[in-house]
Amino acid sequence: SEIKNVSELAVDGNKSAQWPIGITPPFEPKSRFEVLRWDYFTEDNLFSCVDGDPKCQLNGADRDDVTDVIRVALEELNKKYNPFVQLSAPQLVNGYRRLDHTRGMEYTLDLQLQATTESGHQKSIARRVHLVRPLSQVEIIPMPYVTEATRVHVLLPLTSYDSHAALRFLDHCSSNLFETGENAVLNFLFIYEPTEAQKVSTNDVFAEVKAKITSVEHTYPSVKVSWISIKTESPGVLRILDIVSRKHPVETLFLLVTADTVLNSEFLNRCRMNAISGWQAFFPIHFQEFDPSVAYPDQVPPATPDLVREAGHFDRNTFEEACFYNSDYMSTRTRMSGDLQENEELLENLDLYDMFVQYSGLHVFRAAYRNRTCDPRLSEDVFHRCLQSTLESQG
């Protein structure tokens, strides 16, 4: 708890008080409808009860809370007046508290105290104190310097399920990245099943996407879209990233996306600012549109979806999109080596988010920033999250 004696406040109240770093000033209502209610209490009773009664006994956590703030108030007052005066025997005359959702629980206490001077004289005095119990522990974290000039290497793993969506993805990239000259490189990762790989010369499942890439490069001569082919029976993201990681320098900034991700300048800048080498990996929570027939019944869906509750939701079940440095990926995979020797299925059972959380030691940042097919070859947990996301996106 932090405490301020009323004598330290400015004439306009808390507004000008210098609270410690990390403690925001009190909430200021803009209208009468936003005014926060103060609840009155004594050491024995509370005068704002859950069941609507005008008065109820102070019990349990509420009593512990009041006892604690009185104790802290006495300690802080003694720090202020020692060694000239020793304060003791606090009695609560009036108590007020309110929950400010921007900072924590605020208290105003009128205390009657026994003051004893150095010469032994005693006198009863009254003091009003203000305290705040922050919602969480305030921690000032130094953050490394980052810049928006970093080149982003966009990684798009594609299976045959996603080939059609990849065409739409390239159209978005053309208007949002290539025409604006964004400092980003697009990398397609074509994932072939063994049977698909055998027919690649006669019936390439990605032929249409590769033709589209050639067309884009012809339209934008300065743009080079890289792609590699990967043959595997298991489309686990870690196995695929192992291959990609070895082909890039350690200082490379990766942005892992899906065929339904809509890239733009703001998204790339969030990647650059929130992925910090040796410090933090960034997993955005994307906005998922609802089924258009549900979100826009008997209407033509807008070309660009509105970020409103009726149009979709921020999908907390998806972890496919990620922004991280190659050096952090490589060091995290190295930490996994011991557990991999005991359980070779880790590469299939863990997705990228789980790997960073369990093995990296980095800050793993989740923040808000498609209709899709769930691949049953993925691990049970990853497949379940995909199904849950698909169900919720129906609206």
Side-chain angles (χ1 to χ4, degrees):
S1 300
E2 300 290 345
I3 184 171
K4 280 284 176 181
N5 190 290
V6 70
S7 62
E8 297 179 22
L9 299 182
V11 292
D12 57 348
N14 284 339
K15 183 177 181 181
S16 299
Q18 296 300 308
W19 290 91
I21 293 176
I23 304 296
T24 58
F27 172 74
E28 293 186 8
K30 301 296 188 294
S31 70
R32 63 189 180 93
F33 301 104
E34 297 179 356
V35 174
L36 301 179
R37 184 187 70 186
W38 286 94
D39 295 330
Y40 181 78
F41 62 89
T42 65
E43 291 186 58
D44 299 312
N45 296 293
L46 184 64
F47 291 82
S48 179
C49 309
V50 176
D51 56 5
D53 287 347
K55 178 181 177 181
C56 52
Q57 194 168 5
L58 204 60
N59 292 317
D62 287 316
R63 175 174 285 277
D64 294 340
D65 179 55
V66 171
T67 301
D68 187 51
V69 293
I70 293 174
R71 177 189 60 79
V72 171
L74 181 64
E75 289 178 357
E76 295 294 329
L77 288 172
N78 272 319
K79 288 180 185 177
K80 178 179 178 65
Y81 293 115
N82 271 345
F84 308 106
V85 176
Q86 178 69 36
L87 300 175
S88 60
Q91 291 184 332
L92 181 63
V93 180
N94 298 298
Y96 307 89
R97 69 178 184 182
R98 71 175 184 179
L99 179 61
D100 184 336
H101 294 86
T102 64
R103 67 198 308 241
M105 186 69 84
E106 299 177 347
Y107 306 86
T108 296
L109 306 181
D110 291 327
L111 296 174
Q112 197 72 28
L113 304 149
Q114 189 72 25
T116 304
T117 64
E118 290 180 292
S119 60
H121 294 292
Q122 292 189 340
K123 181 182 179 181
S124 180
I125 63 172
R127 285 290 182 271
R128 168 167 283 195
V129 295
H130 300 274
L131 303 92
V132 60
R133 190 190 298 280
L135 287 172
S136 61
Q137 180 181 358
V138 177
E139 184 179 4
I140 307 301
I141 301 177
M143 295 297 285
Y145 177 75
V146 292
T147 174
E148 293 184 354
T150 307
R151 171 169 288 187
V152 180
H153 287 254
V154 180
L155 303 179
L156 176 59
L158 279 179
T159 64
S160 55
Y161 300 113
D162 305 316
S163 57
H164 184 71
L167 302 175
R168 186 175 65 250
F169 177 86
L170 274 168
D171 287 333
H172 286 304
C173 288
S174 297
S175 57
N176 294 346
L177 302 185
F178 304 149
E179 288 184 6
T180 57
E182 285 291 337
N183 189 16
V185 178
L186 191 55
N187 300 270
F188 278 78
L189 314 176
F190 295 124
I191 304 169
Y192 290 89
E193 294 181 6
T195 54
E196 294 172 342
Q198 292 173 359
K199 303 175 184 177
V200 69
S201 58
T202 57
N203 182 24
D204 189 349
V205 292
F206 297 111
E208 195 174 0
V209 180
K210 292 177 180 178
K212 181 85 170 180
I213 291 175
T214 303
S215 173
V216 167
E217 290 179 334
H218 179 74
T219 306
Y220 304 94
S222 61
V223 172
K224 175 62 178 174
V225 179
S226 303
W227 56 268
I228 61 174
S229 298
I230 303 170
K231 184 179 81 169
T232 177
E233 294 181 358
S234 172
V237 67
L238 298 187
R239 290 193 183 277
I240 296 165
L241 288 178
D242 282 349
I243 299 172
V244 176
S245 176
R246 290 192 293 267
K247 295 179 178 291
H248 289 80
V250 294
E251 67 273 10
T252 303
L253 174 59
F254 287 136
L255 171 57
L256 184 66
V257 298
T258 73
D260 293 304
T261 302
V262 178
L263 291 177
N264 55 33
S265 178
E266 180 187 0
F267 190 6
L268 292 178
N269 281 337
R270 291 202 181 192
C271 172
R272 296 181 179 111
M273 301 305 288
N274 290 312
I276 305 171
S277 180
W279 188 269
Q280 183 165 278
F282 175 52
F283 286 79
I285 304 176
H286 72 241
F287 186 80
Q288 169 68 56
E289 297 176 68
F290 288 145
D291 186 328
S293 62
V294 176
Y296 307 99
D298 303 322
Q299 301 177 38
V300 177
T304 303
D306 295 326
L307 301 187
V308 294
R309 184 175 57 187
E310 293 77 17
H313 68 115
F314 284 100
D315 193 345
R316 300 188 180 193
N317 292 299
T318 58
F319 295 84
E320 286 92 342
E321 289 140 327
C323 203
F324 57 95
Y325 278 86
N326 193 20
S327 55
D328 291 329
Y329 178 82
M330 295 169 70
S331 60
T332 305
R333 282 288 283 109
T334 301
R335 292 190 181 96
M336 285 180 62
S337 57
D339 289 349
L340 271 175
Q341 292 177 358
E342 299 178 5
N343 181 8
E344 295 182 357
E345 295 182 354
L346 265 182
L347 290 182
E348 279 73 38
N349 294 337
L350 288 181
D351 61 11
L352 188 64
Y353 177 80
D354 293 328
M355 184 198 76
F356 274 122
V357 169
Q358 295 183 31
Y359 294 98
S360 72
L362 300 172
H363 295 271
V364 181
F365 180 39
R366 282 278 277 167
Y369 173 65
R370 67 193 186 235
N371 291 332
R372 60 194 208 179
T373 302
C374 298
D375 193 334
R377 296 172 297 174
L378 301 175
S379 72
E380 184 177 351
D381 289 342
V382 176
F383 184 58
H384 174 73
R385 280 204 295 254
C386 179
L387 288 178
Q388 186 65 27
S389 169
T390 303
L391 291 172
E392 290 183 1
S393 66
Q394 298 305 307

